[in-house]
Amino acid sequence: MISDKMKDYVSKSSIIRAMFEEGKRLAAIYGAENVFDYSLGNPNVEPPEDIKKAITEILSEESPNLVHGYMSNSGYEDVRDIIAKHINKKYDLKLTEDNLIMTCGAAGGLNIVLKTLLNPGDEVITFSPFFGEYENYVKNFDGQLVIVPSNTETFEPDLNALEDAINSKTKAVIINSPNNPTGIVYSEKLIKELGEVLERKQQQLNSSIYLISDEPYREIAYDGVKVPYILNYYRNSIVGYSYSKSLSLPGERIGYVVCNTEMDDFKDVMAALNVANRILGFVNAPSMFQRVIAKCIDSKVDVNIYKKNRDLLYNHLVKIGFSCVKPEGAFYLFPKSLIPDDKEFAKEAKKFNLLIVPGSSFKCPGHFRLSYCISYEQIERSLDSFDKLAKKYI
Amino acid sequence: MISDKMKDYVSKSSIIRAMFEEGKRLAAIYGAENVFDYSLGNPNVEPPEDIKKAITEILSEESPNLVHGYMSNSGYEDVRDIIAKHINKKYDLKLTEDNLIMTCGAAGGLNIVLKTLLNPGDEVITFSPFFGEYENYVKNFDGQLVIVPSNTETFEPDLNALEDAINSKTKAVIINSPNNPTGIVYSEKLIKELGEVLERKQQQLNSSIYLISDEPYREIAYDGVKVPYILNYYRNSIVGYSYSKSLSLPGERIGYVVCNTEMDDFKDVMAALNVANRILGFVNAPSMFQRVIAKCIDSKVDVNIYKKNRDLLYNHLVKIGFSCVKPEGAFYLFPKSLIPDDKEFAKEAKKFNLLIVPGSSFKCPGHFRLSYCISYEQIERSLDSFDKLAKKYI
């Protein structure tokens, strides 16, 4: 008796659950330390000590009915004000609390943005490979996700293909940098050119095309690379931010959406986001963690831990013959599989206790994703399995 | 450029915001202690001390990556197990963790339930007066809310009218007891008869009709009244529970959905609820507060504080000539307005600094709602204003 839409989702989720069960089965046979689960994006780096300190302070200093109570559906004004000032300082902007809505993570943020923007049949463009949930989020509001392939040598989006894909139904473009699953960071040059394409098409079509940047990995960037802030480059821009990875709080569902003041219908968009947060059932982002964020505004996890993991795993894989774009951010590698059939390759990998996700799940077959947010020691132990896997093909 | 559906919501929300601004304006003129805001359902009773203690223990004893990390989209297994056992003990059931999904409050719970059940055009029945968000939640999934009036002398649902309203498109019935806005509690006799109507119609129509009980006020009940648990009376039953009021944690967005094992397609429903939690962007209920609930499973706010408020306000209003069904639960009164036009009556009330919500907002004109989750002293101070208001009409 479940809805037709959900029937499809349930059958897919059974496959994921089967994968998860398989991991547990292998761990039972070989021991957890000999099963190498590269499938999940669950941060292993501990949250900064500041988080615990902030919670303790809040509980002793602030009124419990304030800390755990309802506030505006957009979030506490003082918290939004602190975040706005933080963004202004980092990216030279003039935002206020009125530009922000606190959300249940980036996933909650993307959903209220799409609820706000989409009429049935509207199109949203993204670049493959991409985080598969985008398709579900767009479908939630009867929109259509249009996939524009990236250049698989660099994983940078193909802007000519983007320009061709835009039409009068195009309501938004979703980007994600640092990227899941490739780990690449979009350069300033790329963001500028992307903005130019969108501006040109808006004028041609006399429409508004919103650029939505999904940014759970903004702070997870290496080697001094800069992650450009789209509000500096494009008028109709929206950022969906999450503290899930920057503070290792993925279970707490805390993030925000920030909109460019110069965008079309700014006030209507902000009012609609506020209402969407309420009527989709989020009501508001979890209250105490909003207040924690305000106290920990300058905190960050130790990114160096992820960088060491990246270096160890990337260098080894390249050495033994894998082809892989070197990631500058997030905690994923997206190498080419050693045979064209990535699902078959993932099956082979499992024989060496390596749990990896086929690129097809990100609409980019012939590749596989490794989430290296596991311990350095576990990665070290896994290298031998990669050697054995590679030897079968090289 | 916002979506057509959202335009309508935004215009409505502006009216609510205007009301809120008006309250602030009055407080600035007359002082906050002389403005009597009976409009909001934000609990004023403090959360039990156990909550603070539980958080402190969790932070010192449990691994931060567990406490703040991802878990199954359904919630931590150990937390669901503890809640299931708690329900079993109270209501003599045999639930396990597999019957429960932890949710972002009851609002998040209702949304994943409706996402799971509704095909476009499906009908969901509720009884007026009712919490206005039900209409929005049903519309989120392109369903149609069908409103069956209650008997306004008792606010009990009219079961004959329910039977007439059910047809082959009816997918669910939403009830809410203790009720917002009337405060009434559905008796065991009523729940039994309701179950019989639904069972009869299911057989006639050869369909499944799910009974969804929205229960944020279950623990807020007075005078020893029993709140029947629908899983004991009807096979296709789902409870959406929230700790927002029972533990005064409305901002933390923590609750659960529990389904009857005997329902049609139980396994599919549970799998779909898990997926719906993920793809609607909730991902999971806030992690740390799941663990807090497990530690505070027997805790409850001091309901006696609300009871005293009810007695003071109810007795006074009846004494000065208002007609009102005596509420046995929740923290609302729903008296008849002294003129048929409840919106006009609310405007008049504002002249005496009384902020009240017209019954029309709950699809029950000629009444008004008072949320008495404010301090006893504030209620005392407000009585004079009610006297003056009543004198204009009686």
Side-chain angles (χ1 to χ4, degrees), chain B residues 14 49 80 104 170 173 197 206 232 255 268 279 309 313 323 356:
Chain B
S14 309
E49 265 295 309
R80 287 184 285 138
C104 293
T170 306
V173 174
V197 169
N206 192 24
N232 288 319
D268 282 351
I279 66 179
N309 285 357
L313 191 59
S323 163
I356 67 178

Side-chain angles (χ1 to χ4, degrees), chain B residues 52-90:
Chain B
K52 196 168 155 178
K53 194 167 152 263
I55 296 173
T56 309
E57 279 175 18
I58 287 166
L59 291 181
S60 72
E61 290 165 11
E62 299 185 21
S63 142
N65 287 116
L66 170 80
V67 172
H68 307 301
Y70 286 128
M71 80 301 304
S72 156
N73 300 119
S74 298
Y76 294 106
E77 292 179 11
D78 61 334
V79 174
R80 287 184 285 138
D81 177 61
I82 287 170
I83 296 172
K85 285 179 176 143
H86 179 78
I87 299 171
N88 290 345
K89 205 172 136 190
K90 272 182 96 168

